[in-house]
């Protein structure tokens, strides 16, 4: 690990100002990903600005929305009564990720910005355009079982590892940011970038911008939501495919629906095509199948992960069936 300076911020403004004074500062939340990357010398900040003491509040508002401080732990969010009652999909997504010890340390802000678990990204002997731009991508022809089937490019086929972000994408969350130029908000679905020819640029935040909170808008049918994660083993594994969904029925018709898919792209994949195909139509297995097919029409598998296209289709259909009350 390379030497670095350490500062502990007592406010978001102070954190941004401290980061602005360094050449390569990083904000430190729970450290469950960043410290690993520093130990592997993939991340080499000259300064760490500890933001773990900033807002951990979880404010359940009367209008049904919830504002979550970025320093709140994943465990605290998953256990909060308002989250469990209004947005069970988020609680279930968080509990599907990592171990209890890691969830106790990991923060909401850090979870949003955690980096890919692509083995070629961590292996310094491999070519990786995300780690070293312009060197190539060994994952494309290597062991790519966990890699992307949507939104990938010739430069990068890595996936985003977060379970929580998949639920946040389905719920239409908004990210509150504080930076040198002031405060702003970013829609969660726009926060992460697809790789294109610059996979090293992973999100839309400007240099020095700090995530300070995540806001969940009121969702009348949020209580009818769930998360399903398909993985190689039942504990401590990243998703091959995951689906977060919420369903609002009027009789046997779909009044409104939210769907996001994880483990398939460099960002949490909001399934807008599937939602559009379902909205106002019958809530039948045939309709669920057609919607999933529409969403995955442009999916493309690699040597080891073509199975994920069919897996994603089946998981979407199963989750929607479960929300409708069918056996799944």
């Amino acid at each position: 690990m390379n030497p670095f300076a350490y500062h502990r911020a007592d406010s978001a403004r102070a954190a941004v100002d401290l980061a602005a004074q360094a050449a390569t500062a990083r904000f430190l939340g729970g450290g469950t990903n960043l410290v690993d990357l520093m130990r592997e010398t993939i991340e080499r900040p000259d300064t760490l600005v500890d933001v773990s003491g900033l807002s951990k509040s979880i404010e359940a508002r009367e209008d049904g929305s919830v504002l979550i401080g970025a320093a709140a732990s994943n465990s605290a969010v998953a256990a909060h009564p308002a989250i469990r009652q209004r947005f069970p999909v988020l609680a279930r997504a968080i509990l599907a990720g990592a171990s209890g010890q890691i969830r106790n340390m990991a923060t909401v802000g850090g979870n949003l910005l955690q980096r890919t678990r692509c083995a070629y990204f961590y292996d310094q002997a491999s070519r990786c355009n995300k780690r070293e731009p312009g060197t190539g991508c060994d994952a494309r022809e290597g062991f790519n079982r966990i890699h992307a089937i949507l939104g990938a490019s010739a430069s990068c086929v890595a996936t985003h590892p977060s379970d929580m972000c998949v639920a946040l994408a389905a719920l239409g969350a908004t990210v509150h940011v504080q930076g040198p130029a002031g405060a702003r908000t970013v829609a969660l679905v726009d926060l992460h970038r697809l790789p294109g020819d610059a996979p090293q640029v992973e999100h839309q935040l400007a240099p020095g911008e700090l995530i300070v909170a995540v806001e969940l808008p009121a969702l009348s049918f949020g209580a009818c939501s769930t998360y399903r994660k398909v993985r190689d083993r039942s504990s401590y594994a990243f998703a091959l495919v995951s689906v977060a969904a919420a369903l609002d029925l009027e009789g046997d018709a779909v009044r409104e629906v939210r769907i996001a898919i994880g483990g398939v792209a460099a960002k949490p994949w909001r399934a807008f095509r599937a939602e559009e195909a379902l909205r106002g139509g019958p809530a039948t297995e045939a309709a669920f199948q057609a919607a999933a097919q529409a969403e995955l029409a442009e999916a493309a598998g690699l040597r080891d992960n073509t199975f994920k296209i069919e897996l994603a289709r089946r998981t979407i259909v199963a989750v929607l069936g479960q929300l409708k009350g069918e056996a799944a």
Side-chain angles (χ1 to χ4, degrees):
M1 188 177 288
N2 297 322
F4 57 88
Y6 170 87
H7 303 284
R8 185 173 175 83
D10 57 9
S11 69
R13 183 72 259 172
V16 171
D17 290 345
L18 285 166
Q21 297 170 22
T24 56
R26 293 288 187 272
F27 297 116
L28 177 69
T32 56
N33 185 210
L34 178 59
V35 173
D36 281 347
L37 294 169
M38 291 174 64
R39 192 161 45 226
E40 298 293 332
T41 69
I42 296 170
E43 291 273 9
R44 302 182 183 90
D46 63 359
T47 299
L48 287 183
V49 179
D50 187 338
V51 294
S52 62
L54 303 187
S55 175
K56 299 178 173 63
S57 68
I58 301 174
E59 178 188 354
R61 297 161 166 167
E62 291 187 2
D63 67 357
S65 64
V66 176
L67 185 69
I68 305 169
S73 73
N74 289 4
S75 293
V77 176
H80 195 280
I83 300 298
R84 296 172 69 88
Q85 294 166 12
R86 300 177 189 178
F87 309 106
V89 62
L90 178 56
R92 289 169 186 161
I94 292 172
L95 293 175
S99 65
Q101 292 91 337
I102 290 176
R103 292 195 295 269
N104 289 341
M105 287 293 296
T107 64
V108 169
N111 193 303
L112 266 60
L113 297 182
Q114 65 177 300
R115 306 194 71 184
T116 182
R117 263 56 176 187
C118 173
Y120 299 94
F121 173 70
Y122 282 82
D123 180 6
Q124 304 254 18
S126 298
R127 298 180 303 152
C128 175
N129 289 317
K130 185 181 287 294
R131 174 169 34 81
E132 295 183 66
T135 58
C137 174
D138 279 343
R140 289 196 63 84
E141 303 301 328
F143 182 63
N144 42 43
R145 175 176 169 80
I146 69 168
H147 291 73
I149 57 172
L150 289 166
S153 73
S155 297
C156 184
V157 294
T159 54
H160 195 271
S162 171
D163 293 290
M164 186 179 77
C165 286
V166 183
L168 293 175
L171 294 171
T174 298
V175 181
H176 291 246
V177 174
Q178 177 77 46
R184 68 184 180 108
T185 59
V186 184
L188 189 282
V189 294
D190 296 329
L191 177 67
H192 304 97
R193 292 167 49 105
L194 293 177
D197 59 1
Q200 75 278 12
V201 184
E202 298 174 334
H203 52 71
Q204 302 285 4
L205 299 185
E209 283 193 319
L210 170 68
I211 293 174
V212 296
V214 175
E215 183 172 3
L216 302 174
L219 187 66
S220 61
F221 57 101
C224 185
S225 65
T226 195
Y227 183 77
R228 183 174 296 192
K229 179 176 181 178
V230 183
R231 48 189 162 178
D232 281 329
R233 59 181 187 274
S234 61
S235 177
Y236 210 90
F238 294 96
L240 293 169
V241 166
S242 65
V243 172
L247 184 63
D248 184 23
L249 297 178
E250 185 173 29
D252 291 328
V254 177
R255 181 160 46 196
E256 187 55 85
V257 61
R258 302 287 182 81
I259 306 170
I261 317 172
V264 297
K267 60 185 294 182
W269 190 269
R270 179 73 178 269
F272 289 113
R273 289 183 180 179
E275 293 177 4
E276 182 60 29
L278 288 166
R279 199 170 287 124
T284 62
E285 180 175 343
F288 298 160
Q289 294 275 7
Q293 292 282 18
E295 189 62 47
L296 297 164
E298 296 180 2
L302 301 163
R303 187 192 66 190
D304 302 317
N305 73 351
T306 300
F307 74 95
K308 291 174 71 171
I309 301 173
E310 176 66 9
L311 183 62
R313 184 191 65 76
R314 292 189 185 199
T315 309
I316 291 171
V317 173
V319 168
L320 292 173
Q322 179 185 346
L323 291 174
K324 186 188 172 187
E326 299 172 343

